[in-house]
Amino acid sequence: MSAHVVCVTSGGGLPIFSRKKGNADSLPFSTIGSLNGVHMFGKSQKIKLLDTLTEDYSIVWKEYHDSLVLIGISSGCTDQVLAQTLNSIFNAVVLIVGTEEIKTQRNIERFKRELRTCYPLIDRLLDSLDCGDSASKHSSDLVGMAETILCPENHLIQIVLDTFTECVDSLFSCVLIHGKIAAATNSWWSLHPEEIKLLALLAQSENTSSSKDIPVFLPYKSPTVAFRFVCCTLIPEIQLCCLCGPTPILSEVEHSATNCFKNSADILSSAIQSHPRNFPISCHIDGGILGLLLINTTFGKYMITRNPHQNSNKKNASSSHRLDILRTFYYQSVLTFLMPDQDSDDNKTQDLNVGLETYWCSEYHKCFAMKIGDNILCVLFNSSIPTFAMRSITEKTLKNLVSEKQVCW
């Protein structure tokens, strides 16, 4: 299983960057030139080339602002997911350089150098592809969504976070635990899901032990005017992030963070214990459940766990393999049947076509997904669970998770 993404200029086909996932060799220049040439020929004939399939690969072309063309090639995932990943990669480019630089491209070599900052983000976004790579450290990533962690201390962290946000005169801030959002302000959740995900990835990129002060262009909210993205480490694996203007300076933000969270060390240390379970141990989970994926479609956030029980039976499926099964079920079934097409403008037709439940059955495991309101719960079951029982267990589990007031879901 492998994936490649290539970026070239729309006018001359000049290569900007090329990234890959998996063990496949890098694409030769002749192949890149051929893939871009097909797109350019179609464009000259007023034909918009979207995607194609080969025996082993999906290939997708996406052009942005008549300036950049992204070409994605992947085995093991659908063209829909690959197209969404290309959109996320372009948004990562916007995050670093802004749309004006993309449109003008006054100096190609300088533009390419600036985009090197994007490489860690692009590599992480490629981890969102369903390539069956259970060895990947970030194999829980979902395309276009931000990961959260549900711990009993979330509401206490939220109170301190709101105080910090007032101190730095900002509306946008969040606390990350192992890169997962534990608490965030209402304004932070009002950002586009792509922006929330990219900012969380940016906080984890490069050296996460020191503070960061980086100019960023929000792809949807502010693609031409930069914000300052400030990130401070509270304790190891817990980061405090905020968006602000020219003031306050970094040292003042760090001082405010220290003052606000100085009495919360025990709370933070306790919250970090919820990883990698990712949800409260007090929440009762049926013994036949092997993994959970909880999604909120409004805010574009999710929680995934492969350890619903403290003493899980590894004979049913390895812990890492459970994530692969849940992601494959999400991409191939839930995304198709339970979630509307974000690129479609016909909302009435979408509402008629979107279902409320879907399930899979195989020799070794079973999957069931249920949508109630804005929430979707995907459950990975032991194969011994009766098929007729999956619906009631999933419904009960979903209600238990979203009704827990302390976790700030």
Side-chain angles (χ1 to χ4, degrees):
M1 301 293 185
S2 62
H4 294 82
V5 61
V6 175
C7 178
V8 299
T9 59
S10 296
L14 296 175
I16 302 299
F17 64 79
S18 177
R19 309 299 294 173
K20 69 172 184 174
K21 170 183 170 64
N23 298 322
D25 296 332
S26 299
L27 292 177
F29 183 77
S30 58
T31 301
I32 296 175
S34 298
L35 291 171
N36 183 56
V38 173
H39 179 269
M40 292 182 69
F41 176 78
K43 186 178 179 181
S44 68
Q45 303 299 312
K46 301 187 183 303
I47 298 173
K48 187 176 183 180
L49 181 59
L50 300 177
D51 55 69
T52 190
L53 297 174
T54 69
E55 185 176 347
D56 300 315
Y57 289 90
S58 298
I59 306 174
V60 175
W61 290 263
K62 300 278 283 187
E63 185 172 15
Y64 301 91
H65 300 303
D66 288 324
S67 297
L68 294 180
V69 175
L70 290 179
I71 306 171
I73 308 103
S74 177
S75 61
C77 80
T78 65
D79 53 356
Q80 178 188 7
V81 174
L82 184 56
Q84 290 184 19
T85 303
L86 292 186
N87 285 335
S88 296
I89 290 173
F90 175 73
N91 287 330
V93 172
V94 175
L95 187 79
I96 301 302
V97 299
T99 55
E100 291 302 319
E101 183 68 23
I102 292 172
K103 293 176 181 178
T104 57
Q105 296 178 17
R106 289 182 289 268
N107 187 319
I108 290 295
E109 292 304 317
R110 187 186 69 180
F111 181 62
K112 292 166 67 173
R113 287 194 299 270
E114 290 176 344
L115 288 186
R116 290 173 184 170
T117 309
C118 289
Y119 291 172
L121 299 180
I122 294 172
D123 293 342
R124 280 296 306 274
L125 291 171
L126 289 177
D127 284 328
S128 300
L129 293 175
D130 182 27
C131 292
D133 186 12
S134 59
S136 173
K137 178 182 178 182
H138 309 293
S139 59
S140 63
D141 287 350
L142 293 184
V143 61
M145 289 192 173
E147 188 171 3
T148 63
I149 181 170
L150 308 182
C151 47
E153 297 77 16
N154 278 10
H155 73 294
L156 298 175
I157 297 174
Q158 183 74 54
I159 294 172
V160 183
L161 178 65
D162 291 338
T163 302
F164 164 80
T165 307
E166 293 180 4
C167 290
V168 297
D169 195 23
S170 173
L171 297 174
F172 307 91
S173 61
C174 76
V175 172
L176 303 177
I177 299 178
H178 284 278
K180 305 172 179 66
I181 299 176
T185 61
N186 291 334
S187 294
W188 189 274
W189 287 121
S190 72
L191 298 174
H192 192 277
E194 287 274 7
E195 296 169 336
I196 297 173
K197 181 182 183 72
L198 289 172
L199 292 173
L201 295 183
L202 184 60
Q204 301 167 69
S205 66
E206 298 175 351
N207 184 8
T208 58
S209 63
S210 61
S211 299
K212 297 180 181 178
D213 190 346
I214 306 171
V216 295
F217 299 85
L218 300 179
Y220 294 89
K221 183 177 180 61
S222 181
T224 58
V225 179
F227 280 79
R228 284 173 58 222
F229 176 65
V230 180
C231 180
C232 307
T233 299
L234 297 176
I235 64 175
E237 305 302 341
I238 296 187
Q239 295 167 288
L240 174 63
C241 307
C242 69
L243 290 172
C244 53
T247 58
I249 61 176
L250 178 60
S251 60
E252 292 176 350
V253 175
E254 292 175 326
H255 180 71
S256 297
T258 301
N259 281 343
C260 292
F261 285 89
K262 63 182 179 182
N263 297 323
S264 303
D266 291 342
I267 295 174
L268 298 176
S269 298
S270 178
I272 206 170
Q273 300 303 314
S274 296
H275 179 81
R277 179 184 170 92
N278 296 336
F279 70 97
I281 195 171
S282 59
C283 185
H284 174 71
I285 298 297
D286 188 271
I289 294 177
L290 301 179
L292 297 170
L293 170 59
L294 177 64
I295 299 166
N296 183 287
T297 57
T298 299
F299 297 114
K301 61 181 179 179
Y302 71 97
M303 182 281 296
I304 190 169
T305 179
R306 60 191 178 190
N307 300 310
H309 309 286
Q310 292 297 315
N311 297 315
S312 57
N313 183 3
K314 295 186 178 180
K315 294 181 180 179
N316 295 306
S318 67
S319 292
S320 57
H321 186 50
R322 295 178 191 180
L323 297 180
D324 291 336
I325 296 171
L326 280 169
R327 291 204 309 161
T328 301
F329 177 56
Y330 168 73
Y331 283 139
Q332 297 189 11
S333 187
V334 176
L335 197 59
T336 303
F337 299 115
L338 302 189
M339 298 183 70
D341 184 359
Q342 296 178 352
D343 295 329
S344 174
D345 295 328
D346 192 349
N347 293 326
K348 292 183 179 180
T349 303
Q350 287 184 43
D351 292 339
L352 293 175
N353 293 336
V354 174
L356 299 177
E357 301 173 10
T358 184
Y359 71 96
W360 277 3
C361 292
S362 74
E363 182 180 356
Y364 303 105
H365 59 265
K366 297 178 181 179
C367 296
F368 193 95
M370 172 178 288
K371 181 177 183 181
I372 299 180
D374 297 332
N375 297 308
I376 298 175
L377 181 64
C378 309
V379 182
L380 175 65
F381 287 100
N382 188 309
S383 60
S384 63
I385 200 82
T387 302
F388 67 85
M390 293 193 296
R391 184 181 188 275
S392 60
I393 294 174
T394 302
E395 182 177 12
K396 181 180 178 180
T397 304
L398 175 56
K399 290 180 178 179
N400 286 343
L401 287 172
V402 301
S403 63
E404 187 69 52
K405 301 300 182 182
Q406 293 179 323
V407 301
C408 301
W409 175 254

